[in-house]
Amino acid sequence: MGSDFTIATIAALRARIARGELSHEALVDQVLEAAAQPAAAHVFTRLYADGARAAARHADAARKAGIELGPLAGLPVTVKDLYDVAGETTMAGSAVCAGEPPAAHDAAAVARLRTQGAAIVGKTNMTEFAFSGVGINPHHGTPANPADAVTARIPGGSSSGAAVSVALGLAVAGLGSDTGGSIRIPAALCGLVGFKSTQSRVPRTGAFELARSLDTVCAMARSVEDCLAADAAIADTPLAVSRRPLQGMRLAVPRTLMFDDIEPAVAQAFERALQALSAAGAHIVDITLAELAEIATVNAPGGFSPVEASGVHRERFATKRDGFDSRVAARIALGTEVRAADYIAMQDRRRDWIGRMERAIEGFDALVCPTVPVVAPPIESLAEDAAFFKANGLLLRNTFAINLLDGCAFSLPCHAPGELPVGLMLSSVRGDDARLAAVALAAERVVRPA
Protein backbone atom coordinates (compact mmCIF):
# COMPACT_ATOMS: atom_id res chain seq x y z
CA MET A 1 0.00 0.00 0.00
CA GLY A 2 1.28 3.48 -0.79
CA SER A 3 1.97 6.14 1.76
CA ASP A 4 -0.95 8.20 0.47
CA PHE A 5 -3.20 5.53 1.94
CA THR A 6 -1.39 4.82 5.18
CA ILE A 7 -1.38 8.47 6.26
CA ALA A 8 -5.03 9.07 5.37
CA THR A 9 -7.55 10.62 7.72
CA ILE A 10 -11.27 10.08 7.26
CA ALA A 11 -11.55 13.37 5.35
CA ALA A 12 -8.68 12.44 3.04
CA LEU A 13 -10.18 9.04 2.28
CA ARG A 14 -13.62 10.53 1.72
CA ALA A 15 -12.10 12.99 -0.76
CA ARG A 16 -10.36 10.19 -2.69
CA ILE A 17 -13.57 8.17 -2.80
CA ALA A 18 -15.53 11.22 -3.97
CA ARG A 19 -13.03 11.75 -6.80
CA GLY A 20 -13.44 8.14 -7.89
CA GLU A 21 -9.83 7.25 -7.06
CA LEU A 22 -10.83 4.62 -4.53
CA SER A 23 -13.86 2.54 -3.55
CA HIS A 24 -14.72 1.36 -0.07
CA GLU A 25 -14.34 -2.25 -1.19
CA ALA A 26 -10.90 -1.60 -2.72
CA LEU A 27 -9.84 0.13 0.47
CA VAL A 28 -10.91 -2.81 2.62
CA ASP A 29 -9.19 -5.23 0.25
CA GLN A 30 -5.95 -3.25 0.65
CA VAL A 31 -6.30 -3.36 4.42
CA LEU A 32 -6.89 -7.10 4.50
CA GLU A 33 -3.88 -7.67 2.26
CA ALA A 34 -1.71 -5.49 4.49
CA ALA A 35 -2.99 -7.25 7.61
CA ALA A 36 -1.26 -10.42 6.41
CA GLN A 37 2.13 -8.72 6.03
CA PRO A 38 4.98 -9.07 8.57
CA ALA A 39 4.60 -5.45 9.76
CA ALA A 40 1.16 -6.38 11.09
CA ALA A 41 2.33 -9.46 13.00
CA HIS A 42 0.47 -9.91 16.29
CA VAL A 43 -1.87 -6.96 15.61
CA PHE A 44 -5.03 -9.04 15.20
CA THR A 45 -6.48 -11.92 17.16
CA ARG A 46 -9.24 -12.42 14.56
CA LEU A 47 -10.08 -11.04 11.13
CA TYR A 48 -13.58 -10.45 9.76
CA ALA A 49 -12.82 -10.34 6.05
CA ASP A 50 -16.29 -11.27 4.78
CA GLY A 51 -18.11 -8.88 7.08
CA ALA A 52 -15.76 -5.99 6.33
CA ARG A 53 -16.11 -6.49 2.59
CA ALA A 54 -19.89 -6.67 2.89
CA ALA A 55 -20.00 -3.37 4.79
CA ALA A 56 -17.72 -1.78 2.18
CA ARG A 57 -19.85 -3.01 -0.73
CA HIS A 58 -22.96 -1.69 1.01
CA ALA A 59 -21.35 1.74 1.35
CA ASP A 60 -20.31 1.72 -2.32
CA ALA A 61 -23.86 0.86 -3.37
CA ALA A 62 -25.36 3.54 -1.12
CA ARG A 63 -22.98 6.17 -2.48
CA LYS A 64 -23.78 5.17 -6.07
CA ALA A 65 -27.47 5.59 -5.24
CA GLY A 66 -26.84 9.10 -3.97
CA ILE A 67 -27.34 8.28 -0.30
CA GLU A 68 -25.32 10.43 2.06
CA LEU A 69 -22.93 8.35 4.14
CA GLY A 70 -21.95 8.76 7.76
CA PRO A 71 -18.29 9.41 8.58
CA LEU A 72 -17.42 5.76 9.27
CA ALA A 73 -19.63 4.07 6.67
CA GLY A 74 -17.62 1.57 4.65
CA LEU A 75 -14.32 2.58 6.24
CA PRO A 76 -12.11 0.09 8.10
CA VAL A 77 -12.18 0.13 11.90
CA THR A 78 -10.84 -2.34 14.45
CA VAL A 79 -12.22 -3.57 17.76
CA LYS A 80 -10.19 -4.48 20.85
CA ASP A 81 -10.33 -8.14 21.86
CA LEU A 82 -12.28 -7.38 25.04
CA TYR A 83 -15.54 -6.47 23.25
CA ASP A 84 -18.31 -9.02 22.78
CA VAL A 85 -19.06 -10.12 19.24
CA ALA A 86 -22.15 -12.32 19.02
CA GLY A 87 -21.32 -16.01 18.69
CA GLU A 88 -17.72 -15.72 19.92
CA THR A 89 -16.12 -16.25 23.29
CA THR A 90 -14.62 -12.94 24.39
CA MET A 91 -10.99 -13.72 25.15
CA ALA A 92 -9.70 -10.28 26.25
CA GLY A 93 -6.16 -11.15 25.16
CA SER A 94 -6.09 -14.22 27.39
CA ALA A 95 -5.84 -17.97 27.06
CA VAL A 96 -7.79 -18.91 30.18
CA CYS A 97 -11.18 -17.89 28.75
CA ALA A 98 -11.09 -20.66 26.14
CA GLY A 99 -14.20 -22.80 26.38
CA GLU A 100 -16.31 -20.17 28.14
CA PRO A 101 -19.78 -19.47 26.66
CA PRO A 102 -19.90 -17.31 23.55
CA ALA A 103 -21.44 -13.85 23.65
CA ALA A 104 -25.13 -13.74 22.87
CA HIS A 105 -24.99 -10.16 21.56
CA ASP A 106 -22.52 -7.62 20.24
CA ALA A 107 -21.18 -5.16 22.79
CA ALA A 108 -23.07 -1.87 22.69
CA ALA A 109 -20.14 -0.03 21.10
CA VAL A 110 -19.67 -2.73 18.45
CA ALA A 111 -23.37 -2.72 17.62
CA ARG A 112 -23.27 1.05 17.18
CA LEU A 113 -20.28 0.83 14.85
CA ARG A 114 -22.22 -1.67 12.75
CA THR A 115 -25.26 0.62 12.72
CA GLN A 116 -23.03 3.38 11.37
CA GLY A 117 -21.93 1.06 8.56
CA ALA A 118 -18.30 0.75 9.68
CA ALA A 119 -16.30 -2.06 8.08
CA ILE A 120 -15.03 -3.93 11.15
CA VAL A 121 -11.80 -5.51 9.94
CA GLY A 122 -10.99 -7.56 13.02
CA LYS A 123 -10.33 -7.85 16.71
CA THR A 124 -7.04 -6.45 17.93
CA ASN A 125 -4.47 -7.80 20.33
CA MET A 126 -4.11 -6.35 23.82
CA THR A 127 -2.50 -6.81 27.19
CA GLU A 128 -4.17 -9.79 28.86
CA PHE A 129 -7.37 -8.58 30.55
CA ALA A 130 -6.27 -4.98 29.79
CA PHE A 131 -4.03 -5.02 32.85
CA SER A 132 -0.90 -3.02 31.94
CA GLY A 133 0.17 0.04 30.03
CA VAL A 134 3.04 -1.73 28.26
CA GLY A 135 1.25 -3.81 25.61
CA ILE A 136 3.22 -7.06 25.92
CA ASN A 137 1.20 -10.25 25.48
CA PRO A 138 2.84 -13.67 26.06
CA HIS A 139 -0.09 -15.59 24.53
CA HIS A 140 -0.53 -13.83 21.18
CA GLY A 141 2.78 -12.02 20.78
CA THR A 142 3.41 -8.29 20.96
CA PRO A 143 2.83 -5.99 17.97
CA ALA A 144 5.87 -3.81 17.33
CA ASN A 145 5.54 -0.05 17.44
CA PRO A 146 5.62 1.19 13.82
CA ALA A 147 7.39 4.40 14.85
CA ASP A 148 10.79 2.65 14.82
CA ALA A 149 11.75 0.51 11.82
CA VAL A 150 15.05 -0.55 13.40
CA THR A 151 14.34 -1.36 17.05
CA ALA A 152 11.29 -3.35 18.16
CA ARG A 153 9.67 -1.06 20.72
CA ILE A 154 6.57 -1.52 22.82
CA PRO A 155 3.35 -0.17 21.34
CA GLY A 156 1.93 0.74 24.75
CA GLY A 157 -1.13 -0.84 26.26
CA SER A 158 -3.44 -2.14 26.96
CA SER A 159 -4.92 -1.24 23.55
CA SER A 160 -1.74 -2.29 21.75
CA GLY A 161 -3.18 -3.83 18.60
CA ALA A 162 -5.71 -1.02 18.26
CA ALA A 163 -2.92 1.54 18.18
CA VAL A 164 -0.74 -0.37 15.74
CA SER A 165 -3.72 -1.03 13.45
CA VAL A 166 -4.28 2.72 13.14
CA ALA A 167 -0.58 3.60 12.98
CA LEU A 168 -0.08 1.13 10.10
CA GLY A 169 -3.05 2.57 8.21
CA LEU A 170 -5.18 -0.56 8.67
CA ALA A 171 -8.04 1.38 10.27
CA VAL A 172 -9.32 4.93 10.49
CA ALA A 173 -10.14 4.29 14.15
CA GLY A 174 -9.36 1.64 16.73
CA LEU A 175 -11.97 0.94 19.38
CA GLY A 176 -10.12 0.36 22.62
CA SER A 177 -10.73 1.03 26.29
CA ASP A 178 -9.12 3.19 28.96
CA THR A 179 -8.99 2.19 32.63
CA GLY A 180 -5.69 3.79 33.58
CA GLY A 181 -4.50 5.13 30.24
CA SER A 182 -5.02 2.25 27.80
CA ILE A 183 -6.08 4.54 24.94
CA ARG A 184 -3.81 7.51 25.61
CA ILE A 185 -0.59 5.58 26.36
CA PRO A 186 -0.43 3.65 23.05
CA ALA A 187 -1.68 6.72 21.19
CA ALA A 188 1.21 8.73 22.66
CA LEU A 189 3.85 6.08 21.97
CA CYS A 190 2.65 5.42 18.41
CA GLY A 191 2.10 9.05 17.38
CA LEU A 192 -1.72 9.00 17.32
CA VAL A 193 -4.58 10.93 18.89
CA GLY A 194 -6.41 9.20 21.74
CA PHE A 195 -9.63 10.41 23.37
CA LYS A 196 -10.64 9.18 26.82
CA SER A 197 -14.17 10.45 27.35
CA THR A 198 -16.00 10.82 30.64
CA GLN A 199 -16.72 7.25 31.73
CA SER A 200 -20.52 7.56 31.54
CA ARG A 201 -20.54 8.85 27.95
CA VAL A 202 -20.40 5.42 26.28
CA PRO A 203 -22.14 2.32 27.69
CA ARG A 204 -19.83 -0.48 28.85
CA THR A 205 -22.35 -3.23 28.07
CA GLY A 206 -20.51 -6.15 26.51
CA ALA A 207 -17.04 -4.88 27.38
CA PHE A 208 -14.94 -7.35 29.37
CA GLU A 209 -14.51 -5.72 32.75
CA LEU A 210 -11.20 -4.78 34.33
CA ALA A 211 -12.21 -2.20 36.96
CA ARG A 212 -15.79 -1.01 36.92
CA SER A 213 -14.97 2.24 38.74
CA LEU A 214 -12.57 3.29 35.97
CA ASP A 215 -13.24 1.40 32.70
CA THR A 216 -14.05 3.73 29.78
CA VAL A 217 -15.13 2.77 26.26
CA CYS A 218 -13.30 5.02 23.78
CA ALA A 219 -11.13 5.07 20.65
CA MET A 220 -8.00 6.38 18.97
CA ALA A 221 -7.43 7.69 15.47
CA ARG A 222 -5.10 9.88 13.38
CA SER A 223 -6.66 13.23 14.27
CA VAL A 224 -8.95 14.89 16.77
CA GLU A 225 -11.66 15.12 14.10
CA ASP A 226 -11.44 11.37 13.50
CA CYS A 227 -11.56 10.65 17.24
CA LEU A 228 -14.71 12.75 17.47
CA ALA A 229 -16.26 10.81 14.58
CA ALA A 230 -15.54 7.52 16.35
CA ASP A 231 -16.81 8.92 19.64
CA ALA A 232 -20.04 10.11 18.00
CA ALA A 233 -20.63 6.59 16.67
CA ILE A 234 -20.03 4.68 19.90
CA ALA A 235 -21.77 7.27 22.11
CA ASP A 236 -24.66 7.39 19.63
CA THR A 237 -24.59 11.19 19.61
CA PRO A 238 -21.94 13.73 18.58
CA LEU A 239 -20.46 16.15 21.04
CA ALA A 240 -21.74 19.70 20.57
CA VAL A 241 -18.33 21.28 20.01
CA SER A 242 -18.11 25.07 19.70
CA ARG A 243 -14.84 25.69 17.91
CA ARG A 244 -12.61 28.32 19.49
CA PRO A 245 -9.21 29.85 18.76
CA LEU A 246 -6.34 29.26 21.16
CA GLN A 247 -6.17 33.01 21.76
CA GLY A 248 -7.16 33.62 25.38
CA MET A 249 -7.42 29.98 26.46
CA ARG A 250 -6.03 29.30 29.94
CA LEU A 251 -3.99 26.09 30.14
CA ALA A 252 -2.71 24.89 33.51
CA VAL A 253 0.55 22.94 33.75
CA PRO A 254 0.47 20.85 36.96
CA ARG A 255 4.02 20.62 38.29
CA THR A 256 3.33 18.02 41.00
CA LEU A 257 4.08 14.40 40.01
CA MET A 258 3.54 14.72 36.25
CA PHE A 259 7.14 15.68 35.42
CA ASP A 260 8.97 13.34 37.79
CA ASP A 261 11.54 11.09 36.01
CA ILE A 262 10.78 12.65 32.63
CA GLU A 263 13.11 11.69 29.79
CA PRO A 264 14.94 14.54 28.02
CA ALA A 265 13.30 13.77 24.67
CA VAL A 266 9.84 14.07 26.21
CA ALA A 267 10.74 17.23 28.14
CA GLN A 268 12.10 18.90 25.00
CA ALA A 269 9.09 18.01 22.85
CA PHE A 270 6.68 19.14 25.56
CA GLU A 271 8.44 22.48 26.10
CA ARG A 272 8.40 23.12 22.32
CA ALA A 273 4.68 22.43 22.36
CA LEU A 274 4.11 24.83 25.25
CA GLN A 275 6.00 27.52 23.37
CA ALA A 276 3.88 26.92 20.27
CA LEU A 277 0.66 27.11 22.30
CA SER A 278 1.82 30.32 23.95
CA ALA A 279 2.82 31.85 20.61
CA ALA A 280 -0.69 31.08 19.34
CA GLY A 281 -2.20 33.10 22.18
CA ALA A 282 -2.85 30.55 24.92
CA HIS A 283 -2.06 31.60 28.49
CA ILE A 284 0.19 28.93 30.04
CA VAL A 285 -0.04 28.92 33.84
CA ASP A 286 2.16 26.73 36.07
CA ILE A 287 0.21 25.41 39.06
CA THR A 288 1.25 23.18 41.92
CA LEU A 289 -1.92 21.04 42.10
CA ALA A 290 -0.67 19.35 45.25
CA GLU A 291 -3.69 17.02 45.24
CA LEU A 292 -1.84 14.89 42.67
CA ALA A 293 0.57 13.84 45.40
CA GLU A 294 -2.35 12.13 47.19
CA ILE A 295 -3.11 9.60 44.43
CA ALA A 296 -1.19 6.74 46.03
CA THR A 297 -3.06 7.30 49.31
CA VAL A 298 -6.45 7.55 47.62
CA ASN A 299 -5.75 4.33 45.69
CA ALA A 300 -4.60 2.28 48.71
CA PRO A 301 -4.69 -0.49 49.75
CA GLY A 302 -4.35 -2.65 46.67
CA GLY A 303 -5.66 -0.15 44.12
CA PHE A 304 -9.03 0.07 42.38
CA SER A 305 -7.93 -2.02 39.40
CA PRO A 306 -6.46 -4.94 41.41
CA VAL A 307 -9.35 -4.98 43.88
CA GLU A 308 -12.07 -4.89 41.25
CA ALA A 309 -10.23 -7.25 38.88
CA SER A 310 -9.83 -9.78 41.67
CA GLY A 311 -13.61 -9.88 41.88
CA VAL A 312 -14.01 -10.29 38.12
CA HIS A 313 -11.52 -13.17 38.02
CA ARG A 314 -12.21 -14.85 41.35
CA GLU A 315 -13.26 -18.20 39.89
CA ARG A 316 -10.65 -18.19 37.09
CA PHE A 317 -7.96 -17.24 39.58
CA ALA A 318 -8.90 -20.12 41.86
CA THR A 319 -8.78 -22.77 39.13
CA LYS A 320 -6.62 -21.43 36.26
CA ARG A 321 -4.10 -19.05 37.77
CA ASP A 322 -1.18 -20.86 36.11
CA GLY A 323 -2.71 -19.97 32.72
CA PHE A 324 -2.61 -16.21 33.36
CA ASP A 325 0.19 -13.94 32.21
CA SER A 326 2.32 -14.05 35.36
CA ARG A 327 2.65 -10.25 35.43
CA VAL A 328 -1.11 -9.81 35.19
CA ALA A 329 -1.63 -12.43 37.89
CA ALA A 330 0.78 -10.57 40.18
CA ARG A 331 -1.24 -7.36 39.85
CA ILE A 332 -4.59 -9.07 40.37
CA ALA A 333 -3.18 -10.74 43.49
CA LEU A 334 -2.66 -7.31 45.05
CA GLY A 335 -6.42 -6.98 45.42
CA THR A 336 -7.42 -10.43 46.63
CA GLU A 337 -7.00 -9.76 50.36
CA VAL A 338 -8.38 -6.21 50.52
CA ARG A 339 -11.33 -6.04 52.93
CA ALA A 340 -14.72 -4.60 52.02
CA ALA A 341 -14.32 -1.85 54.63
CA ASP A 342 -11.04 -0.78 53.04
CA TYR A 343 -12.62 -0.75 49.58
CA ILE A 344 -15.50 1.42 50.80
CA ALA A 345 -12.98 3.80 52.34
CA MET A 346 -11.17 3.98 48.98
CA GLN A 347 -14.42 5.01 47.29
CA ASP A 348 -15.05 7.67 49.95
CA ARG A 349 -11.53 9.08 49.57
CA ARG A 350 -11.90 9.15 45.80
CA ARG A 351 -15.14 11.14 45.96
CA ASP A 352 -13.56 13.68 48.29
CA TRP A 353 -10.43 13.91 46.13
CA ILE A 354 -12.45 14.42 42.94
CA GLY A 355 -14.32 17.30 44.53
CA ARG A 356 -11.13 19.01 45.65
CA MET A 357 -9.46 18.47 42.28
CA GLU A 358 -12.43 19.91 40.42
CA ARG A 359 -12.35 23.02 42.59
CA ALA A 360 -8.58 23.37 42.18
CA ILE A 361 -8.69 23.47 38.37
CA GLU A 362 -11.87 25.49 37.98
CA GLY A 363 -11.38 28.41 35.61
CA PHE A 364 -8.88 26.69 33.35
CA ASP A 365 -9.73 25.45 29.87
CA ALA A 366 -7.57 22.35 30.36
CA LEU A 367 -4.70 20.79 32.23
CA VAL A 368 -1.71 20.19 29.98
CA CYS A 369 1.16 17.80 30.66
CA PRO A 370 3.07 14.98 28.95
CA THR A 371 0.84 11.95 28.34
CA VAL A 372 3.69 9.70 29.48
CA PRO A 373 7.13 10.78 30.72
CA VAL A 374 9.12 8.41 28.47
CA VAL A 375 9.35 7.42 24.82
CA ALA A 376 8.57 3.81 23.92
CA PRO A 377 11.27 1.53 25.36
CA PRO A 378 12.59 -1.46 23.40
CA ILE A 379 10.63 -4.65 24.04
CA GLU A 380 13.83 -6.50 24.94
CA SER A 381 14.64 -4.01 27.69
CA LEU A 382 11.57 -5.14 29.64
CA ALA A 383 12.39 -8.85 29.72
CA GLU A 384 12.99 -8.80 33.47
CA ASP A 385 10.05 -8.25 35.82
CA ALA A 386 11.70 -5.39 37.69
CA ALA A 387 12.22 -3.40 34.48
CA PHE A 388 8.73 -4.23 33.28
CA PHE A 389 6.96 -3.06 36.44
CA LYS A 390 9.06 0.11 36.64
CA ALA A 391 8.14 0.99 33.05
CA ASN A 392 4.51 0.09 33.62
CA GLY A 393 4.30 2.41 36.60
CA LEU A 394 5.81 5.31 34.66
CA LEU A 395 3.59 4.75 31.64
CA LEU A 396 0.40 4.73 33.72
CA ARG A 397 1.23 7.47 36.20
CA ASN A 398 0.05 10.61 34.40
CA THR A 399 -2.90 9.10 32.59
CA PHE A 400 -4.26 7.27 35.66
CA ALA A 401 -4.76 10.58 37.44
CA ILE A 402 -7.49 11.48 34.95
CA ASN A 403 -9.22 8.10 35.31
CA LEU A 404 -9.23 8.54 39.07
CA LEU A 405 -10.72 12.00 38.49
CA ASP A 406 -13.38 10.49 36.18
CA GLY A 407 -12.27 13.21 33.80
CA CYS A 408 -11.85 13.42 30.06
CA ALA A 409 -8.60 13.75 28.12
CA PHE A 410 -6.98 13.85 24.70
CA SER A 411 -3.44 12.76 23.87
CA LEU A 412 -2.01 14.69 20.91
CA PRO A 413 1.30 13.90 19.16
CA CYS A 414 3.75 16.75 19.74
CA HIS A 415 7.15 15.40 18.63
CA ALA A 416 9.11 16.76 15.70
CA PRO A 417 9.39 14.74 12.47
CA GLY A 418 12.08 12.09 12.80
CA GLU A 419 11.76 11.89 16.59
CA LEU A 420 10.15 9.04 18.51
CA PRO A 421 6.53 9.91 19.28
CA VAL A 422 5.69 12.03 22.32
CA GLY A 423 2.17 12.75 23.52
CA LEU A 424 0.77 15.95 24.99
CA MET A 425 -2.24 15.36 27.24
CA LEU A 426 -5.07 17.85 27.55
CA SER A 427 -7.44 17.00 30.40
CA SER A 428 -10.50 18.33 32.15
CA VAL A 429 -13.21 17.30 34.60
CA ARG A 430 -16.06 14.84 34.05
CA GLY A 431 -18.72 15.99 31.61
CA ASP A 432 -16.46 18.61 30.03
CA ASP A 433 -15.84 16.54 26.90
CA ALA A 434 -17.26 19.00 24.36
CA ARG A 435 -15.37 22.01 25.70
CA LEU A 436 -12.16 19.98 25.93
CA ALA A 437 -12.63 18.83 22.34
CA ALA A 438 -12.62 22.46 21.24
CA VAL A 439 -9.31 22.96 23.06
CA ALA A 440 -7.88 19.82 21.43
CA LEU A 441 -8.95 20.87 17.94
CA ALA A 442 -7.27 24.25 18.38
CA ALA A 443 -4.13 22.85 20.03
CA GLU A 444 -3.66 20.09 17.47
CA ARG A 445 -3.03 22.65 14.74
CA VAL A 446 0.08 24.02 16.45
CA VAL A 447 1.60 21.04 18.27
CA ARG A 448 1.28 18.08 15.95
CA PRO A 449 4.22 16.94 13.78
CA ALA A 450 4.41 18.55 10.35
Side-chain angles (χ1 to χ4, degrees):
M1 296 188 305
S3 60
D4 60 335
F5 169 73
T6 60
I7 63 171
T9 61
I10 291 174
L13 287 172
R14 285 274 170 245
R16 291 190 63 197
I17 291 169
R19 293 193 299 266
E21 299 171 4
L22 185 68
S23 69
H24 296 91
E25 186 172 10
L27 175 61
V28 167
D29 282 341
Q30 288 179 8
V31 165
L32 291 169
E33 179 182 351
Q37 302 304 310
H42 313 304
V43 171
F44 293 98
T45 59
R46 183 185 293 259
L47 288 172
Y48 301 119
D50 291 344
R53 288 191 176 103
R57 286 194 293 268
H58 185 272
D60 284 332
R63 179 178 173 275
K64 186 175 181 179
I67 298 171
E68 185 175 353
L69 299 177
L72 298 182
L75 297 184
V77 301
T78 58
V79 170
K80 190 174 181 177
D81 197 41
L82 57 69
Y83 288 99
D84 284 353
V85 169
E88 299 176 7
T89 297
T90 304
M91 297 297 291
S94 74
V96 298
C97 292
E100 294 184 9
H105 307 283
D106 285 345
V110 174
R112 289 174 174 182
L113 288 172
R114 293 196 200 280
T115 297
Q116 293 296 317
I120 299 176
V121 175
K123 275 191 171 179
T124 51
N125 197 2
M126 56 181 284
T127 303
E128 183 183 67
F129 298 128
F131 213 166
S132 100
V134 177
I136 289 173
N137 187 301
H139 309 299
H140 304 297
T142 299
N145 190 325
D148 192 334
V150 177
T151 302
R153 296 179 181 272
I154 66 164
S158 64
S159 306
S160 54
V164 178
S165 73
V166 177
L168 287 175
L170 306 180
V172 297
L175 177 64
S177 63
D178 195 310
T179 302
S182 289
I183 281 285
R184 291 160 290 156
I185 295 165
L189 297 186
C190 293
L192 305 171
V193 177
F195 175 36
K196 181 251 181 272
S197 56
T198 301
Q199 186 191 39
S200 61
R201 177 159 170 76
V202 182
R204 289 172 286 135
T205 309
F208 198 109
E209 190 174 303
L210 170 57
R212 63 183 59 187
S213 296
L214 307 169
D215 291 348
T216 307
V217 175
C218 46
M220 67 185 79
R222 290 195 166 272
S223 69
V224 175
E225 289 278 12
D226 288 3
C227 275
L228 294 178
D231 170 78
I234 60 178
D236 205 26
T237 183
L239 288 169
V241 181
S242 298
R243 294 173 184 267
R244 303 164 51 200
L246 276 171
Q247 183 72 38
M249 287 188 184
R250 299 184 73 238
L251 305 179
V253 182
R255 292 295 177 178
T256 298
L257 187 69
M258 302 302 217
F259 294 85
D260 294 353
D261 300 314
I262 189 170
E263 287 186 349
V266 177
Q268 291 166 9
F270 182 75
E271 289 302 322
R272 283 199 310 262
L274 285 188
Q275 291 169 13
L277 292 168
S278 179
H283 297 303
I284 310 297
V285 183
D286 280 3
I287 63 173
T288 303
L289 200 57
E291 288 83 359
L292 292 172
E294 303 174 29
I295 289 175
T297 301
V298 174
N299 201 39
F304 281 99
S305 293
V307 171
E308 294 179 352
S310 69
V312 172
H313 297 288
R314 182 172 57 180
E315 292 184 10
R316 294 186 191 94
F317 221 51
T319 60
K320 301 179 180 179
R321 177 168 176 168
D322 289 347
F324 281 66
D325 176 348
S326 62
R327 291 164 171 173
V328 171
R331 296 191 73 196
I332 292 174
L334 296 173
T336 56
E337 301 301 324
V338 175
R339 300 177 303 167
D342 292 328
Y343 176 67
I344 292 169
M346 288 168 62
Q347 295 283 6
D348 290 343
R349 287 195 302 271
R350 184 190 183 203
R351 279 191 293 272
D352 172 73
W353 183 82
I354 288 174
R356 289 187 288 112
M357 279 282 288
E358 290 177 341
R359 290 190 293 273
I361 60 180
E362 188 174 357
F364 290 103
D365 290 288
L367 295 176
V368 58
C369 69
T371 308
V372 294
V374 298
V375 295
I379 294 173
E380 285 188 358
S381 71
L382 305 184
E384 300 297 327
D385 283 354
F388 173 89
F389 285 114
K390 180 180 179 181
N392 188 56
L394 278 174
L395 291 168
L396 287 161
R397 186 193 65 206
N398 291 6
T399 54
F400 175 73
I402 309 307
N403 295 83
L404 193 65
L405 182 64
D406 189 20
C408 50
F410 283 86
S411 179
L412 309 179
C414 69
H415 55 286
E419 296 178 346
L420 288 173
V422 173
L424 177 144
M425 185 165 66
L426 295 165
S427 311
S428 191
V429 299
R430 54 191 167 188
D432 203 26
D433 305 62
R435 193 164 66 92
L436 184 67
V439 179
L441 285 164
E444 180 184 35
R445 293 183 179 183
V446 301
V447 305
R448 75 173 301 134

